[in-house]
């Protein structure tokens, strides 16, 4: 008789008559395989809480293993991003989704389960696409990926402010650094660095290419993504340059950059919830 387990997950009753399935997919940040639950049209990351002394009571029986399984919804695009990148690196051609997923080295049933979760509209968030008849072909597009990740960062920041009072008073750069740290748990280091640069965050250790662009006399482009930039007409009509105000602004900007760099470093070292639930040996 199969052992009974306790699982807390979302929408298991709305799985459209499909039996929930468990898949093992490598984590982009650590490279270790992690269990994922596919139920209906959603996929959830599974964490296991294993207390030292615990059991479950089921009707008139006792289950000795008191482990608690917790499912957290995750965007499936995070999971297939490395496969799409490998496909592009192998030839740069447009490919079917099924062919792209071969780079994840999944079992056929697991690959089929992932394919059923993904729609062409989702793929177009991070890929260029071509349609031939009823078949779609995709190629990863970095600009689309960064725009999609930028929206994910916005959603993460909004959730932090809404659910944790301590984030409400944090400035834009600090909050963005925390959001990037959280998203970095689902991204490779290369994509985390690209996202940080895209969002205008200070880079760890500064520019390693011989100094900053400003120090080398080159024009400094504005951040590619900054939702807080607004046009201030009163500022535009300021009659003259005030060196005292300029010095204050420069000092404040330096403090904010130093603080944001510190927060980004701390956020990059944050541990995922599942890391606290590792199996005892």
């Amino acid at each position: 008789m199969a052992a009974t387990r306790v699982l807390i997950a979302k929408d298991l009753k709305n799985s459209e008559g499909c039996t929930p399935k468990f898949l093992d997919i490598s984590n982009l940040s650590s490279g270790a395989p992690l269990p994922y639950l596919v139920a209906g049209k959603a996929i959830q990351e599974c964490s296991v809480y294993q207390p030292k002394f615990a059991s479950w009571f089921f009707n008139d029986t006792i289950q000795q293993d008191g482990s608690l399984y917790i499912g957290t919804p995750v965007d499936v695009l995070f999971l297939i991003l490395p496969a799409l990148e490998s496909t592009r690196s192998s030839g740069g051609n447009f490919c079917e989704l099924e062919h792209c997923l071969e780079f994840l080295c999944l079992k056929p049933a697991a690959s089929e389960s992932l394919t059923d979760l993904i729609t062409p509209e989702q793929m177009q968030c991070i890929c260029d696409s071509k349609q031939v008849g009823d078949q779609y072909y995709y190629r990863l597009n970095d600009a689309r990926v960064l725009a999609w990740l930028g929206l994910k960062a916005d959603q993460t920041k909004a959730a932090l402010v809404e659910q944790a009072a301590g984030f409400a008073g944090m400035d834009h750069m600090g909050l963005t650094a925390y959001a990037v740290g959280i998203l970095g748990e689902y991204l490779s280091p290369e994509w985390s660095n690209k996202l940080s640069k895209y969002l205008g965050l200070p880079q760890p250790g500064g520019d390693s290419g011989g100094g900053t662009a400003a120090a080398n006399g080159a024009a400094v482009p504005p951040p590619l993504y900054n939702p807080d930039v607004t046009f201030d007409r009163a500022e535009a009509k300021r009659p003259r340059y005030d060196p005292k105000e300029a010095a204050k602004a420069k000092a404040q900007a330096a403090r904010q950059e130093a603080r944001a760099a510190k927060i980004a470093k701390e956020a990059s070292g944050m541990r995922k919830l599942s890391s606290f639930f590792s199996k005892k040996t």
Side-chain angles (χ1 to χ4, degrees):
M1 180 174 138
T4 303
R5 295 290 182 266
V6 177
L7 168 68
I8 299 176
K10 186 177 181 181
D11 295 335
L12 288 181
K13 292 184 178 181
N14 299 325
S15 56
E16 302 178 1
C18 300
T19 302
K21 301 176 183 177
F22 285 92
L23 314 177
D24 284 333
I25 303 176
S26 296
N27 176 265
L28 278 177
S29 179
S30 65
L34 293 177
Y36 290 85
L37 170 68
V38 177
K41 292 297 183 180
I43 187 167
Q44 303 182 46
E45 179 184 5
C46 289
S47 302
V48 184
Y49 175 52
Q50 295 176 307
K52 187 174 182 180
F53 302 106
S55 298
W56 291 106
F57 290 88
F58 295 108
N59 298 322
D60 297 329
T61 64
I62 298 177
Q63 174 64 43
Q64 183 178 4
D65 183 0
S67 300
L68 175 63
Y69 294 78
I70 304 172
T72 305
V74 62
D75 193 322
V76 68
L77 295 184
F78 282 109
L79 306 182
I80 67 171
L81 185 57
L84 294 170
E85 196 161 22
S86 297
T87 303
R88 184 178 61 180
S89 300
S90 66
N93 298 320
F94 285 79
C95 298
E96 297 177 327
L97 177 59
E98 292 79 0
H99 174 69
C100 296
L101 294 183
E102 291 177 1
F103 287 89
L104 290 179
C105 300
L106 300 173
K107 295 180 179 179
S111 180
E112 183 179 350
S113 297
L114 275 185
T115 303
D116 293 339
L117 294 175
I118 305 169
T119 65
E121 290 75 19
Q122 285 178 294
M123 291 295 295
Q124 288 167 7
C125 291
I126 60 175
C127 292
D128 296 324
S129 65
K130 292 183 178 181
Q131 182 178 4
V132 179
D134 294 333
Q135 185 63 52
Y136 286 87
Y137 299 85
Y138 305 101
R139 183 174 63 191
L140 192 67
N141 182 313
D142 284 6
R144 289 178 181 266
V145 174
L146 289 172
W148 171 71
L149 289 174
L151 292 177
K152 290 293 182 184
D154 283 346
Q155 293 171 350
T156 303
K157 289 189 292 184
L160 288 172
V161 172
E162 180 181 354
Q163 299 180 17
F167 290 98
M170 186 175 288
D171 59 41
H172 168 71
M173 294 292 284
L175 195 58
T176 301
Y178 259 101
V180 172
I182 293 173
L183 293 176
E185 295 291 344
Y186 300 92
L187 297 171
S188 65
E190 292 76 17
W191 275 113
S192 291
N193 292 335
K194 288 180 181 180
L195 178 59
S196 295
K197 186 176 181 180
Y198 178 73
L199 297 177
L201 292 176
Q203 299 301 299
D207 191 332
S208 59
T212 63
N216 294 329
V220 181
L224 296 176
Y225 176 85
N226 191 345
D228 289 348
V229 171
T230 57
F231 180 74
D232 188 342
R233 295 184 179 277
E235 183 72 16
K237 293 180 180 179
R238 178 167 290 183
R240 63 185 180 84
Y241 173 77
D242 189 334
K244 291 184 179 180
E245 291 190 7
K248 290 181 180 179
K250 184 176 180 180
Q252 183 179 5
R255 289 193 297 270
Q256 289 181 345
E257 286 190 7
R259 184 166 179 264
K262 180 180 178 181
I263 292 174
K265 184 177 179 180
E266 293 175 352
S268 64
M270 289 191 305
R271 298 173 62 191
K272 291 182 64 177
L273 179 64
S274 58
S275 68
F276 293 94
F277 300 145
S278 59
K279 184 176 182 180
K280 295 183 179 295
T281 57

